Amino acid sequence: MEYVFSDRISSLAPSAIREILKFTADPEVIAFAAGNPSAEAFPTEAVAKIAGQILAENPISALQYSISEGYTPLRDALKSWMKTDYNIGTEGDDLIVTSGAQQAIELTCKVLCNEGDTVLCEDPSFIGSLNAFRSYHVQLKGVPVEADGISIQRLEDALKREKNVRFLYLIPNFQNPSGITMSLAKRQEVYRLACKYNVIILEDNPYGDLRYTGEDIPTIKSMDEEGRVIYAGSFSKILSPGMRVGYVVAPKPVIGKLTVAKQVSDVHTTILSQLICHRFLTEYDIHAHIAGLRTLYRGKLDLMLSELDRGFGGKVKYTRPEGGLFLWATLPEGVDMMQFCRDAVARKVAVVPGTAFLADESGSSQSFRMNYSTPSDDNIVKGVRILSELIAETIH
Amino acid sequence: MEYVFSDRISSLAPSAIREILKFTADPEVIAFAAGNPSAEAFPTEAVAKIAGQILAENPISALQYSISEGYTPLRDALKSWMKTDYNIGTEGDDLIVTSGAQQAIELTCKVLCNEGDTVLCEDPSFIGSLNAFRSYHVQLKGVPVEADGISIQRLEDALKREKNVRFLYLIPNFQNPSGITMSLAKRQEVYRLACKYNVIILEDNPYGDLRYTGEDIPTIKSMDEEGRVIYAGSFSKILSPGMRVGYVVAPKPVIGKLTVAKQVSDVHTTILSQLICHRFLTEYDIHAHIAGLRTLYRGKLDLMLSELDRGFGGKVKYTRPEGGLFLWATLPEGVDMMQFCRDAVARKVAVVPGTAFLADESGSSQSFRMNYSTPSDDNIVKGVRILSELIAETIH
């Protein structure tokens, strides 16, 4: 039998990332390609204790149907946390729980865009979000990222040039894949342009709490006076990605539509996960836990950077992130990036080819993404040394 | 600020069901409107024990990212169960885990239908599925349901008449909302017509294990020789809806596209939920557990039917389901169904107006849906007596 699929899904190509990631199932491969929290990052005893309490005290609450908006005490705790620590949320905003920030991103595109509408994004950007947008058959247009964030000139050019721009997708903090952080001045300028050209901003901030050096910079959402910013947050990088709990703060009319879309997507987010996040957020010291994560990952980033400084010999450039999970290395012109990534995997080190993160999938890239949260310290040293040998042999 | 939403979501009206369901937050209201498992139906001790074991033995496995297809041992256990007990699954099929059957249904529409394509469904049918289809801006065409299932003549008329029919959505067992079961002869005939007119069947079977009287009837999927049936199953009615674990069995090319769509939707289903379902399915006696559920719900259905037989006095007709969670009551012509439902809520009994379940939302209905799994036995008696008084006063 011949199967005919929708245009939106037929046009969604399996990504180059999968070619590389399938090798990472091999336990001998050093995984610089993933984006997983470190195994040391999970508060396993706290989660076990909380889950035990919930299932002993009120098991029905963890097993029965719940409401699409999310567990009300968790929503209230998140609203309070966001307002107190980040000045996020106004009278005109509301917050709902989603099945990871991925769902918030996918539903935002579903409720805002008709097929053929345009979405602007940083170039490169997170492949999971780009594929979510592609799955609604929108036009994806990338705007180059500079050392201090998206190019303002190129952004305004795109806003003037492109038709039916519905929203601008941004990861201002420790961007995936580049590790770059957008400066305060650029955040203010991006918001001004969004107002001028009447587009929505979707601000994705999964790594915001994971800053290892420098000063925190206000989110774009915290500057939002017009009700123009949709903010996606997540427990994935600060507690557990396997629980699939994220949240979205947005103007109430947008939240209303997102809730309808969420209801038809999965009815509600797993309620036991929500109950665990709620207790962890309200009964444990979330700030102390995050401080511990920062110490853990700062050590891993510093280790990787010092190994790169020693091993890459100036032949390969790389970003020096102030937080997050990723850095972005760029090979000199003339070197075949895809072949380099294949050679690295053959030597049991997996990195992600930069082409995976482009708005235009047929574009070219000299870069690759490296992750330092997943590998052990020993493997960071070993993996960078293997890549350094490959560079020494390949680039003269 | 004015918000502009996508056509697919703008056209999704808040359903009539919500008007009624909002009253059910009042604990004094007797809930015949919900579709929740009975609080007595949950194996709370087993789940608490399993969760404790998982979080003690291998907590990282329950907290880390997992793969989009689902936890492999759960997929294997489900494939084995489906094949052994229901003859579901061929060499050409595969199975993935979804975030409830709702996600399987929503993603099926996403991967099969372009906007404007036609989806055929039973009329009435499950509102959660109908809204999922509407959220992709498809044409929804209902085919009347008779006492032994969908009208074959009207189905063939629709298959001849409608353009671009991509799939036919069916709940053959104890249909939501009607409680009607499709006969074996009709299942065979439906499959023959699907082959003749080259359409896919989406078979939704959340209640299949909950048969209280009569003999099991083979699923349409078990007859599928051409690879034309997508089968959605769920743990929601046999273990826990709050965990959000469902699954879909379909031809491998369809599973491939569903997996891509699932990945952009929520990355993967909560892994702790999957681990719990896996242990419950493989280490506990699922057949004995389901037998217990049947006994519990058989008692509730019999109680409701005997109260209806006594109280409704032949003035209101209702179906006599052989399983599932719902029955379907129909008021005589001339009675205002919506007013009846509002009057019932005013007397603290909530039922769902039949219009909520129509393919054409502007259509009319004399029916309402009643659920017997959620209310206590006392409330079944009390609620039916209140409705009976209302009928005696309203219908002469």
mmCIF file of all heavy atoms in Angstrom, chain A residues 162-188:
data_model
loop_
_atom_site.group_PDB
_atom_site.id
_atom_site.type_symbol
_atom_site.label_atom_id
_atom_site.label_comp_id
_atom_site.label_asym_id
_atom_site.label_seq_id
_atom_site.Cartn_x
_atom_site.Cartn_y
_atom_site.Cartn_z
ATOM 1 N N GLU A 162 10.179 40.490 4.681
ATOM 2 C CA GLU A 162 9.355 39.283 4.678
ATOM 3 C C GLU A 162 7.876 39.613 4.854
ATOM 4 O O GLU A 162 7.517 40.517 5.592
ATOM 5 C CB GLU A 162 9.811 38.333 5.792
ATOM 6 C CG GLU A 162 11.254 37.886 5.692
ATOM 7 C CD GLU A 162 11.560 37.062 4.453
ATOM 8 O OE1 GLU A 162 10.622 36.486 3.872
ATOM 9 O OE2 GLU A 162 12.744 37.014 4.052
ATOM 10 N N LYS A 163 7.051 38.837 4.195
ATOM 11 C CA LYS A 163 5.592 38.999 4.303
ATOM 12 C C LYS A 163 5.058 38.128 5.439
ATOM 13 O O LYS A 163 5.561 37.044 5.688
ATOM 14 C CB LYS A 163 4.913 38.536 3.003
ATOM 15 C CG LYS A 163 5.412 39.222 1.747
ATOM 16 C CD LYS A 163 4.906 40.658 1.655
ATOM 17 C CE LYS A 163 5.407 41.333 0.387
ATOM 18 N NZ LYS A 163 5.797 42.733 0.602
ATOM 19 N N ASN A 164 3.993 38.601 6.079
ATOM 20 C CA ASN A 164 3.264 37.793 7.075
ATOM 21 C C ASN A 164 4.172 37.187 8.144
ATOM 22 O O ASN A 164 4.080 35.995 8.447
ATOM 23 C CB ASN A 164 2.484 36.665 6.384
ATOM 24 C CG ASN A 164 1.479 37.208 5.387
ATOM 25 O OD1 ASN A 164 0.793 38.194 5.661
ATOM 26 N ND2 ASN A 164 1.397 36.586 4.231
ATOM 27 N N VAL A 165 5.058 38.024 8.687
ATOM 28 C CA VAL A 165 5.871 37.536 9.808
ATOM 29 C C VAL A 165 4.979 37.481 11.036
ATOM 30 O O VAL A 165 4.450 38.497 11.477
ATOM 31 C CB VAL A 165 7.075 38.462 10.082
ATOM 32 C CG1 VAL A 165 7.842 37.962 11.315
ATOM 33 C CG2 VAL A 165 7.988 38.525 8.877
ATOM 34 N N ARG A 166 4.799 36.260 11.583
ATOM 35 C CA ARG A 166 3.885 36.113 12.716
ATOM 36 C C ARG A 166 4.627 36.194 14.034
ATOM 37 O O ARG A 166 4.119 36.716 15.006
ATOM 38 C CB ARG A 166 3.100 34.800 12.600
ATOM 39 C CG ARG A 166 2.225 34.735 11.380
ATOM 40 C CD ARG A 166 1.083 35.778 11.427
ATOM 41 N NE ARG A 166 0.195 35.509 12.546
ATOM 42 C CZ ARG A 166 -0.048 36.343 13.541
ATOM 43 N NH1 ARG A 166 0.525 37.539 13.574
ATOM 44 N NH2 ARG A 166 -0.859 36.005 14.513
ATOM 45 N N PHE A 167 5.827 35.617 14.105
ATOM 46 C CA PHE A 167 6.598 35.779 15.335
ATOM 47 C C PHE A 167 8.085 35.574 15.094
ATOM 48 O O PHE A 167 8.515 35.075 14.040
ATOM 49 C CB PHE A 167 6.069 34.888 16.470
ATOM 50 C CG PHE A 167 6.271 33.405 16.308
ATOM 51 C CD1 PHE A 167 7.411 32.773 16.792
ATOM 52 C CD2 PHE A 167 5.293 32.623 15.701
ATOM 53 C CE1 PHE A 167 7.579 31.408 16.671
ATOM 54 C CE2 PHE A 167 5.455 31.245 15.575
ATOM 55 C CZ PHE A 167 6.602 30.637 16.056
ATOM 56 N N LEU A 168 8.836 36.002 16.106
ATOM 57 C CA LEU A 168 10.293 35.953 16.104
ATOM 58 C C LEU A 168 10.694 35.041 17.257
ATOM 59 O O LEU A 168 10.338 35.294 18.413
ATOM 60 C CB LEU A 168 10.810 37.378 16.334
ATOM 61 C CG LEU A 168 12.281 37.569 16.668
ATOM 62 C CD1 LEU A 168 13.169 37.024 15.566
ATOM 63 C CD2 LEU A 168 12.566 39.072 16.877
ATOM 64 N N TYR A 169 11.382 33.953 16.934
ATOM 65 C CA TYR A 169 11.785 32.967 17.943
ATOM 66 C C TYR A 169 13.215 33.239 18.390
ATOM 67 O O TYR A 169 14.126 33.298 17.558
ATOM 68 C CB TYR A 169 11.672 31.549 17.358
ATOM 69 C CG TYR A 169 12.236 30.482 18.259
ATOM 70 C CD1 TYR A 169 11.598 30.146 19.444
ATOM 71 C CD2 TYR A 169 13.413 29.810 17.930
ATOM 72 C CE1 TYR A 169 12.120 29.167 20.286
ATOM 73 C CE2 TYR A 169 13.937 28.829 18.765
ATOM 74 C CZ TYR A 169 13.283 28.515 19.940
ATOM 75 O OH TYR A 169 13.797 27.557 20.772
ATOM 76 N N LEU A 170 13.409 33.400 19.685
ATOM 77 C CA LEU A 170 14.725 33.768 20.228
ATOM 78 C C LEU A 170 15.071 32.933 21.456
ATOM 79 O O LEU A 170 14.195 32.622 22.279
ATOM 80 C CB LEU A 170 14.716 35.239 20.657
ATOM 81 C CG LEU A 170 14.474 36.283 19.557
ATOM 82 C CD1 LEU A 170 14.218 37.652 20.178
ATOM 83 C CD2 LEU A 170 15.664 36.339 18.597
ATOM 84 N N ILE A 171 16.353 32.603 21.598
ATOM 85 C CA ILE A 171 16.891 32.003 22.825
ATOM 86 C C ILE A 171 17.977 32.964 23.308
ATOM 87 O O ILE A 171 19.152 32.796 22.978
ATOM 88 C CB ILE A 171 17.491 30.594 22.565
ATOM 89 C CG1 ILE A 171 16.526 29.719 21.771
ATOM 90 C CG2 ILE A 171 17.877 29.921 23.896
ATOM 91 C CD1 ILE A 171 17.153 28.419 21.256
ATOM 92 N N PRO A 172 17.602 33.999 24.087
ATOM 93 C CA PRO A 172 18.581 35.048 24.385
ATOM 94 C C PRO A 172 19.725 34.596 25.297
ATOM 95 O O PRO A 172 20.818 35.165 25.226
ATOM 96 C CB PRO A 172 17.733 36.133 25.067
ATOM 97 C CG PRO A 172 16.324 35.866 24.596
ATOM 98 C CD PRO A 172 16.250 34.372 24.501
ATOM 99 N N ASN A 173 19.493 33.615 26.161
ATOM 100 C CA ASN A 173 20.525 33.192 27.105
ATOM 101 C C ASN A 173 21.215 31.912 26.666
ATOM 102 O O ASN A 173 20.576 30.865 26.558
ATOM 103 C CB ASN A 173 19.917 32.959 28.494
ATOM 104 C CG ASN A 173 19.574 34.258 29.188
ATOM 105 O OD1 ASN A 173 20.328 35.224 29.130
ATOM 106 N ND2 ASN A 173 18.412 34.292 29.845
ATOM 107 N N PHE A 174 22.566 32.001 26.446
ATOM 108 C CA PHE A 174 23.382 30.799 26.220
ATOM 109 C C PHE A 174 22.732 29.937 25.138
ATOM 110 O O PHE A 174 22.449 28.765 25.312
ATOM 111 C CB PHE A 174 23.549 29.999 27.520
ATOM 112 C CG PHE A 174 23.542 30.850 28.754
ATOM 113 C CD1 PHE A 174 22.588 30.660 29.752
ATOM 114 C CD2 PHE A 174 24.452 31.890 28.905
ATOM 115 C CE1 PHE A 174 22.567 31.457 30.878
ATOM 116 C CE2 PHE A 174 24.431 32.700 30.031
ATOM 117 C CZ PHE A 174 23.483 32.482 31.028
ATOM 118 N N GLN A 175 22.554 30.582 24.009
ATOM 119 C CA GLN A 175 21.732 30.028 22.941
ATOM 120 C C GLN A 175 22.166 28.625 22.526
ATOM 121 O O GLN A 175 23.360 28.319 22.505
ATOM 122 C CB GLN A 175 21.809 31.004 21.744
ATOM 123 C CG GLN A 175 20.694 30.872 20.739
ATOM 124 C CD GLN A 175 21.196 30.585 19.339
ATOM 125 O OE1 GLN A 175 22.353 30.217 19.128
ATOM 126 N NE2 GLN A 175 20.319 30.735 18.379
ATOM 127 N N ASN A 176 21.194 27.811 22.210
ATOM 128 C CA ASN A 176 21.410 26.500 21.601
ATOM 129 C C ASN A 176 21.294 26.693 20.094
ATOM 130 O O ASN A 176 20.237 27.106 19.638
ATOM 131 C CB ASN A 176 20.353 25.512 22.108
ATOM 132 C CG ASN A 176 20.525 24.116 21.552
ATOM 133 O OD1 ASN A 176 21.394 23.860 20.736
ATOM 134 N ND2 ASN A 176 19.668 23.211 21.997
ATOM 135 N N PRO A 177 22.336 26.492 19.321
ATOM 136 C CA PRO A 177 23.565 25.752 19.611
ATOM 137 C C PRO A 177 24.791 26.622 19.915
ATOM 138 O O PRO A 177 25.834 26.061 20.253
ATOM 139 C CB PRO A 177 23.816 25.039 18.280
ATOM 140 C CG PRO A 177 23.391 26.056 17.257
ATOM 141 C CD PRO A 177 22.196 26.761 17.880
ATOM 142 N N SER A 178 24.707 27.934 19.788
ATOM 143 C CA SER A 178 25.942 28.730 19.720
ATOM 144 C C SER A 178 26.554 29.032 21.083
ATOM 145 O O SER A 178 27.725 29.405 21.172
ATOM 146 C CB SER A 178 25.656 30.052 18.993
ATOM 147 O OG SER A 178 24.839 30.889 19.789
ATOM 148 N N GLY A 179 25.758 28.941 22.161
ATOM 149 C CA GLY A 179 26.247 29.340 23.476
ATOM 150 C C GLY A 179 26.299 30.847 23.670
ATOM 151 O O GLY A 179 26.707 31.324 24.732
ATOM 152 N N ILE A 180 25.855 31.598 22.663
ATOM 153 C CA ILE A 180 25.936 33.073 22.696
ATOM 154 C C ILE A 180 24.791 33.655 23.520
ATOM 155 O O ILE A 180 23.665 33.145 23.489
ATOM 156 C CB ILE A 180 25.917 33.622 21.248
ATOM 157 C CG1 ILE A 180 27.286 33.375 20.601
ATOM 158 C CG2 ILE A 180 25.522 35.093 21.198
ATOM 159 C CD1 ILE A 180 27.334 33.663 19.125
ATOM 160 N N THR A 181 25.081 34.752 24.240
ATOM 161 C CA THR A 181 24.072 35.464 25.023
ATOM 162 C C THR A 181 23.825 36.840 24.408
ATOM 163 O O THR A 181 24.767 37.558 24.064
ATOM 164 C CB THR A 181 24.541 35.601 26.480
ATOM 165 O OG1 THR A 181 24.609 34.286 27.049
ATOM 166 C CG2 THR A 181 23.580 36.454 27.295
ATOM 167 N N MET A 182 22.558 37.193 24.265
ATOM 168 C CA MET A 182 22.191 38.480 23.687
ATOM 169 C C MET A 182 22.392 39.583 24.723
ATOM 170 O O MET A 182 21.945 39.451 25.871
ATOM 171 C CB MET A 182 20.729 38.438 23.222
ATOM 172 C CG MET A 182 20.342 39.590 22.287
ATOM 173 S SD MET A 182 18.548 39.615 21.925
ATOM 174 C CE MET A 182 18.311 38.008 21.191
ATOM 175 N N SER A 183 23.033 40.674 24.312
ATOM 176 C CA SER A 183 23.291 41.788 25.229
ATOM 177 C C SER A 183 21.988 42.491 25.613
ATOM 178 O O SER A 183 20.971 42.366 24.921
ATOM 179 C CB SER A 183 24.217 42.801 24.551
ATOM 180 O OG SER A 183 23.540 43.400 23.459
ATOM 181 N N LEU A 184 22.036 43.240 26.706
ATOM 182 C CA LEU A 184 20.852 43.997 27.144
ATOM 183 C C LEU A 184 20.425 44.984 26.057
ATOM 184 O O LEU A 184 19.234 45.103 25.752
ATOM 185 C CB LEU A 184 21.155 44.736 28.458
ATOM 186 C CG LEU A 184 20.018 45.616 28.976
ATOM 187 C CD1 LEU A 184 18.771 44.794 29.264
ATOM 188 C CD2 LEU A 184 20.461 46.367 30.240
ATOM 189 N N ALA A 185 21.405 45.685 25.479
ATOM 190 C CA ALA A 185 21.067 46.681 24.457
ATOM 191 C C ALA A 185 20.327 46.027 23.288
ATOM 192 O O ALA A 185 19.344 46.568 22.775
ATOM 193 C CB ALA A 185 22.343 47.370 23.959
ATOM 194 N N LYS A 186 20.783 44.850 22.889
ATOM 195 C CA LYS A 186 20.122 44.163 21.765
ATOM 196 C C LYS A 186 18.725 43.668 22.149
ATOM 197 O O LYS A 186 17.811 43.681 21.334
ATOM 198 C CB LYS A 186 20.988 43.015 21.261
ATOM 199 C CG LYS A 186 22.146 43.493 20.381
ATOM 200 C CD LYS A 186 22.710 42.377 19.525
ATOM 201 C CE LYS A 186 23.646 42.967 18.455
ATOM 202 N NZ LYS A 186 24.237 41.908 17.613
ATOM 203 N N ARG A 187 18.568 43.230 23.400
ATOM 204 C CA ARG A 187 17.227 42.795 23.830
ATOM 205 C C ARG A 187 16.240 43.965 23.735
ATOM 206 O O ARG A 187 15.096 43.802 23.285
ATOM 207 C CB ARG A 187 17.274 42.256 25.267
ATOM 208 C CG ARG A 187 18.064 40.958 25.366
ATOM 209 C CD ARG A 187 18.161 40.437 26.801
ATOM 210 N NE ARG A 187 19.237 39.440 26.849
ATOM 211 C CZ ARG A 187 19.224 38.337 27.580
ATOM 212 N NH1 ARG A 187 18.222 38.076 28.384
ATOM 213 N NH2 ARG A 187 20.232 37.495 27.524
ATOM 214 N N GLN A 188 16.703 45.127 24.193
ATOM 215 C CA GLN A 188 15.833 46.310 24.145
ATOM 216 C C GLN A 188 15.508 46.686 22.701
ATOM 217 O O GLN A 188 14.374 47.030 22.375
ATOM 218 C CB GLN A 188 16.524 47.481 24.871
ATOM 219 C CG GLN A 188 16.591 47.246 26.380
ATOM 220 C CD GLN A 188 17.590 48.153 27.091
ATOM 221 O OE1 GLN A 188 18.546 48.648 26.478
ATOM 222 N NE2 GLN A 188 17.362 48.351 28.393
#
